[in-house]
Amino acid sequence: MNSDDLYSRICRWDNLLLAWRKAAKGKRGTAPVAHFEYRLEDNLVQLGEELHSQTYCPGSYHSFYIHDPKRRLISAAPFRDRVVHHALCHVIEPLFERRFVTDSFANRVGKGNHRALDRAQHYARQFPYVLTLDLQQYFPSIDHALLRAVLARQIKDKNVLKLIDLILESGRGVLDGEYTMRWFSGDDLLAVERARGLPIGNLTSQFWANCYLDPFDHFVKRELRCPGYVRYVDDMLLFSNDKKELWLWKKEVMTRLADLRLTVHERSAQVRPVREGMPFLGFVVYPHKRRLKRRKEIAYARKLRKLLSEVETGNASPETVVASVNGWCNHVVHGNTVGLRRAVLRNILAFSRNPAINRAIEHALGPMVLKKKTP
């Protein structure tokens, strides 16, 4: 692909139409998407003209908090901006995808958290020790100047870089309240004014978060020559046969992350035998089994009780409960959770007085997890 053609490809009608379909997927019943779709051709033509003439200007974010179970600030861009995000990522993603290491699993086609868990368990069967790392305030900490430098190594089209600058600037300050200032070697008093933070909720933020750590991934694989490495966003695992080697790697890793203005949670940055289990993506992973973290179980039980109460008061439908339980079971089935799933669903049947919920749970999920184990 000629890098000079990148910007024109972003602005093309077929790319914008595809971007709209991706941005609207699963959301066509919402007011902003329906409003955009009502005059779809006109809106896409206008968006294309604004991009061509470089008069496109992003709108303001709508921010809200979720608890899942951590408290997170989600910032949603206007729908037309989300179409632009998809149009941009569809064109530039292949430039970076071929560079990403195999064992980076977040927000990539054919990857995902469940495959990251499989890979972690695969390495746990090969190596006796693991170094677990978890970055502090990753999305609020991402430095715009450093990120742009990473992107510019692969993107030579100046117009694409201008669009990236525009999107970065539109999110500047959104996560300021979520960031605790940290000082690094060489900082002066102006370091506090550095532009930082990617709004959680943007497609571009998810993709650029992968790009930002790509040089670090290559450092781990090529310079440290780590034989077993798994990363999912800001959660990392480094495996080795030698415990002392992992402690040495920890120092080198923290130094390299500081170059990216990132820090790790010291309490979780530990070398441990894999047989003791390693916390990763909501599970505790052992060489031959996985357990759901206790706090994840408690958080879902709390959420489920709230949903059932809302059904009783008419603020939620039985279908909402069934969809929630289906989604949760499809996730935790990737661990050794048969007994847990059985207990949760029996609690629903015991607590719920709604016949529709009880019938749906028994019919849709009962055969999978309610039946007793055969001796």
Side-chain angles (χ1 to χ4, degrees), residues 143-259:
D143 188 90
H144 288 190
L146 296 178
L147 171 62
R148 193 189 186 281
V150 170
L151 298 177
R153 289 180 199 140
Q154 300 301 315
I155 299 172
K156 305 305 179 183
D157 189 319
K158 293 181 180 180
N159 290 329
V160 176
L161 292 174
K162 286 181 182 178
L163 179 59
I164 289 171
D165 289 339
L166 201 60
I167 296 172
L168 282 174
E169 185 62 27
S170 72
R172 181 172 181 171
V174 170
L175 292 179
D176 280 357
E178 308 300 304
Y179 178 73
T180 302
M181 182 62 196
R182 294 177 177 86
W183 301 91
F184 298 89
S185 177
D187 278 352
D188 56 24
L189 293 177
L190 294 178
V192 73
E193 301 295 331
R194 292 180 70 101
R196 61 175 65 86
L198 295 181
I200 300 174
N202 279 358
L203 175 68
T204 49
S205 297
Q206 297 170 14
F207 174 58
W208 290 341
N210 262 354
C211 297
Y212 194 68
L213 281 175
D214 179 59
F216 174 80
D217 293 338
H218 286 279
F219 162 74
V220 172
K221 298 293 287 185
R222 294 182 180 181
E223 296 186 36
L224 297 185
R225 295 188 178 275
C226 178
Y229 174 63
V230 182
R231 180 173 69 82
Y232 189 89
V233 191
D234 57 347
D235 290 315
M236 310 169 206
L237 301 173
L238 285 75
F239 295 85
S240 176
N241 289 313
D242 188 344
K243 186 190 299 185
K244 291 182 180 179
E245 183 176 51
L246 287 173
W247 284 115
L248 290 173
W249 285 353
K250 178 183 173 181
K251 294 179 181 178
E252 296 187 54
V253 160
M254 292 177 70
T255 299
R256 184 56 63 100
L257 288 172
D259 293 340

Side-chain angles (χ1 to χ4, degrees), residues 7-24:
Y7 194 72
S8 61
R9 290 193 61 206
I10 292 171
C11 304
R12 274 169 36 182
W13 167 265
D14 58 342
N15 188 53
L16 291 174
L17 182 61
L18 177 62
W20 167 76
R21 287 172 178 158
K22 290 182 176 181

Side-chain angles (χ1 to χ4, degrees), residues 312-332:
E312 296 298 329
T313 58
N315 294 322
S317 66
E319 291 76 18
T320 303
V321 177
V322 174
S324 174
V325 174
N326 260 312
W328 181 76
C329 284
N330 288 336
H331 171 60
V332 301

Side-chain angles (χ1 to χ4, degrees), residues 36-52:
F36 191 94
E37 186 177 1
Y38 181 68
R39 298 184 61 187
L40 177 61
E41 291 82 2
D42 292 341
N43 286 324
L44 290 181
V45 168
Q46 181 181 350
L47 205 51
E49 290 175 351
E50 290 179 16
L51 289 169
H52 271 295

Side-chain angles (χ1 to χ4, degrees), residues 308 311-312 346-358:
L308 291 171
V311 170
E312 296 298 329
R346 282 177 174 167
N347 284 339
I348 296 175
L349 297 177
F351 182 80
S352 172
R353 295 187 294 273
N354 188 298
I357 291 178
N358 294 346

Side-chain angles (χ1 to χ4, degrees), residues 37-164:
E37 186 177 1
Y38 181 68
R39 298 184 61 187
L40 177 61
E41 291 82 2
D42 292 341
N43 286 324
L44 290 181
V45 168
Q46 181 181 350
L47 205 51
E49 290 175 351
E50 290 179 16
L51 289 169
H52 271 295
S53 62
Q54 297 187 23
T55 58
Y56 164 74
C57 183
S60 301
Y61 286 86
H62 167 64
S63 298
F64 54 93
Y65 284 97
I66 63 169
H67 298 80
D68 191 29
K70 293 180 181 178
R71 186 172 182 263
R72 299 181 187 274
L73 179 65
I74 304 298
S75 301
F79 180 72
R80 75 191 304 266
D81 293 342
R82 282 177 263 162
V83 174
V84 174
H85 298 170
H86 277 274
L88 171 65
C89 288
H90 180 251
V91 171
I92 67 172
E93 189 173 344
L95 300 177
F96 294 88
E97 178 61 33
R98 59 176 177 246
R99 276 190 48 84
F100 289 155
V101 300
T102 303
D103 290 328
S104 169
F105 284 88
N107 308 305
R108 297 175 64 190
V109 176
K111 300 288 186 175
N113 58 345
H114 297 141
R115 294 202 175 183
L117 286 164
D118 291 341
R119 192 65 165 170
Q121 193 161 48
H122 168 75
Y123 284 137
R125 292 169 181 166
Q126 289 188 329
F127 301 98
Y129 301 105
V130 63
L131 169 63
T132 57
L133 297 170
D134 177 23
L135 298 180
Q136 290 185 321
Q137 299 177 330
Y138 179 48
F139 279 87
S141 300
I142 293 176
D143 188 90
H144 288 190
L146 296 178
L147 171 62
R148 193 189 186 281
V150 170
L151 298 177
R153 289 180 199 140
Q154 300 301 315
I155 299 172
K156 305 305 179 183
D157 189 319
K158 293 181 180 180
N159 290 329
V160 176
L161 292 174
K162 286 181 182 178
L163 179 59
I164 289 171

